[in-house]
């Protein structure tokens, strides 16, 4: 089978499209013919070399997998060959594409218990947009952040996969959304998704603008997975009794906390990691009901994986980048 293989840790040249052995299902496993796979910053981190992990090479990344069941291992019940499915990437505290071989290939193997049947109304592309971006956003905003209708939430990096998902889910919840992005084009698209206030963080101090827009009280919730470059500003922009939620730190982990604001304002800082099976089912239900349409920047053939990754790495995307093996 063809696969986008990481053969060397580091830059884009470390990933090549080549022939690779087709996976075989073990007991309790299924092989899926991949029809769409979502690309995430995680794929870039894995290519560069995730700190503390020593994956054997070559490695196939790609965690957001949608396709058709191709083969079943011994003891599998409740799943049929040919069935359309979304694959939940979390496997016993490990992740497909990160710790285990993923879906940037024509075929992928996963435990059969991780397969979620796709409703007829949900396409492979819609499904492959969900787990890592939309699943993370749903858990971060709702489960951990407890976002409520009528509250105000500010979202940094609102034009990326997780950010766009946050904007859409926050609007579904009935919150007021302050969306922060780096270009006017991205801000215009965020406004079309329902964002109420638009902040170009390249042209103005996002923290000061949020403070002004909220009548100098701050937001109920600040979404910051940028980290080092923005954390102090996020603390300053959060109201008394508000909360900051995070699921990562794309600009670095060593943050300036500005602690006096944290204790004087009694700010809650909430970490959020991954998603649950119920989160993914909720997202599929919303798509089927016409309440949610995942935003897709583009769909690329496997042979154009370098361009797909470049767009993501250079932050030229709006929404999800998908690959069709």
């Amino acid at each position: 089978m063809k696969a986008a293989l990481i053969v060397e840790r580091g830059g884009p040249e470390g990933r090549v499209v080549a022939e690779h052995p087709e996976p075989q299902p073990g007991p309790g496993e299924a092989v899926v013919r991949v029809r769409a796979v979502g690309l995430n910053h995680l794929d870039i981190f894995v290519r560069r070399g995730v700190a503390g992990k020593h994956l054997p090479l070559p490695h196939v990344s790609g965690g957001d997998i949608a396709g058709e069941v191709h083969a079943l291992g011994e003891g599998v019940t409740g799943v049929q060959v040919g069935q359309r499915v979304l694959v939940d990437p979390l496997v016993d505290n490990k992740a497909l594409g990160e710790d285990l071989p993923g879906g940037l290939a024509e075929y992928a193997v996963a435990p059969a218990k991780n397969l979620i049947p796709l409703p007829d109304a949900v396409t492979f592309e819609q499904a492959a947009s969900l787990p890592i971006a939309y699943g993370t956003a749903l858990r971060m905003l709702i489960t951990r952040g407890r976002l409520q209708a009528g509250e105000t939430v500010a979202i940094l990096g609102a034009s990326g996969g997780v950010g766009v998902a946050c904007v859409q889910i926050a609007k579904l919840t009935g919150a007021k959304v302050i969306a922060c992005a780096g270009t006017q084009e991205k801000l215009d698209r965020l406004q079309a998704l329902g964002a109420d206030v638009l902040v170009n963080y390249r042209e103005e101090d996002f923290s000061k603008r949020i403070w002004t827009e909220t009548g100098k009280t701050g937001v109920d919730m600040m979404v910051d997975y940028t980290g080092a470059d923005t954390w102090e500003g996020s603390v300053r922009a959060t109201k008394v009794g508000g909360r900051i939620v995070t699921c990562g730190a794309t600009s670095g982990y060593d943050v300036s906390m500005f602690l006096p604001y944290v204790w004087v304002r009694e700010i809650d800082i909430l970490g959020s990691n991954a998603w649950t099976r119920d989160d993914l089912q909720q997202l599929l239900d919303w798509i089927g009901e016409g309440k949610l349409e995942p935003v897709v920047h583009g769909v690329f053939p496997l042979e154009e994986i370098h361009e797909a990754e470049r767009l993501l790495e250079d932050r030229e995307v709006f929404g999800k980048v998908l690959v069709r093996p």
Side-chain angles (χ1 to χ4, degrees), residues 2-267:
K2 287 185 179 179
L5 302 171
I6 298 173
V7 296
E8 180 182 336
R9 296 179 180 89
E13 68 280 357
R15 191 189 296 275
V16 299
V17 177
E19 289 295 320
H20 191 63
E22 183 178 319
Q24 302 300 313
E29 293 182 333
V31 172
V32 174
R33 174 62 175 98
V34 181
R35 296 301 182 184
V37 57
L39 204 61
N40 297 279
H41 278 284
L42 178 60
D43 294 287
I44 295 169
F45 298 151
V46 171
R47 189 198 71 209
R48 292 174 181 169
V50 178
K53 295 188 178 181
H54 303 282
L55 297 171
L57 299 180
H59 177 73
V60 180
S61 68
D64 292 336
I65 303 165
E68 301 153 342
V69 177
H70 174 71
L72 299 172
E74 182 182 351
V76 174
T77 60
V79 180
Q80 296 179 345
V81 171
Q83 189 171 5
R84 301 170 68 252
V85 295
L86 169 65
V87 182
D88 181 349
L90 292 181
V91 180
D92 299 327
N93 295 318
K94 294 184 177 182
L96 296 176
E98 181 180 3
D99 309 289
L100 304 168
L104 280 170
E106 291 180 307
Y107 297 91
V109 65
K113 65 182 181 181
N114 283 59
L115 305 186
I116 305 173
L118 282 187
D120 292 339
V122 179
T123 68
F124 291 128
E125 289 76 16
Q126 289 172 323
S129 300
L130 295 182
I132 293 176
Y134 282 82
T136 294
L138 179 59
R139 180 171 178 79
M140 181 167 55
L141 291 182
I142 308 304
T143 307
R144 297 290 294 146
R146 308 179 305 280
L147 185 64
Q148 302 292 318
E151 289 189 315
T152 300
V153 56
I155 302 165
L156 296 179
S159 62
V162 174
V164 166
C166 283
V167 171
Q168 292 179 281
I169 292 169
K171 293 305 296 183
L172 272 174
T173 305
K176 178 180 179 180
V177 174
I178 300 176
C180 305
T183 70
Q184 188 58 50
E185 179 185 0
K186 290 178 178 178
L187 291 171
D188 289 343
R189 296 186 68 177
L190 289 166
Q191 185 175 41
L193 289 177
D196 301 284
V197 178
L198 308 171
V199 180
N200 188 327
Y201 59 74
R202 297 190 187 278
E203 297 182 354
E204 58 182 327
D205 185 321
F206 76 87
S207 185
K208 290 182 179 179
R209 175 68 184 286
I210 291 170
W211 190 248
T212 300
E213 288 289 343
T214 57
K216 298 184 177 181
T217 62
V219 293
D220 298 286
M221 180 188 293
M222 191 79 207
V223 177
D224 185 342
Y225 46 85
T226 303
D229 291 348
T230 56
W231 194 261
E232 184 174 329
S234 291
V235 172
R236 290 176 179 271
T238 304
K239 71 185 296 184
V240 173
R243 56 257 193 228
I244 303 172
V245 294
T246 182
C247 64
T250 56
S251 68
Y253 305 134
D254 191 10
V255 301
S256 176
M257 187 66 73
F258 208 67
L259 277 176
Y261 277 46
V262 175
W263 76 68
V264 170
R265 294 186 184 176
E266 297 186 330
I267 293 172

Side-chain angles (χ1 to χ4, degrees), residues 3-18 37 39-40 43-44 47-48 59 61 104 297 299-317 321-324:
L5 302 171
I6 298 173
V7 296
E8 180 182 336
R9 296 179 180 89
E13 68 280 357
R15 191 189 296 275
V16 299
V17 177
V37 57
L39 204 61
N40 297 279
D43 294 287
I44 295 169
R47 189 198 71 209
R48 292 174 181 169
H59 177 73
S61 68
L104 280 170
H297 178 88
V299 182
F300 296 81
L302 193 65
E303 290 76 12
E304 295 181 17
I305 183 63
H306 289 105
E307 175 62 9
E309 277 198 320
R310 185 197 68 77
L311 290 170
L312 196 64
E313 202 160 9
D314 292 347
R315 301 186 184 280
E316 295 181 11
V317 305
V321 174
L322 303 179
V323 174
R324 186 179 292 139

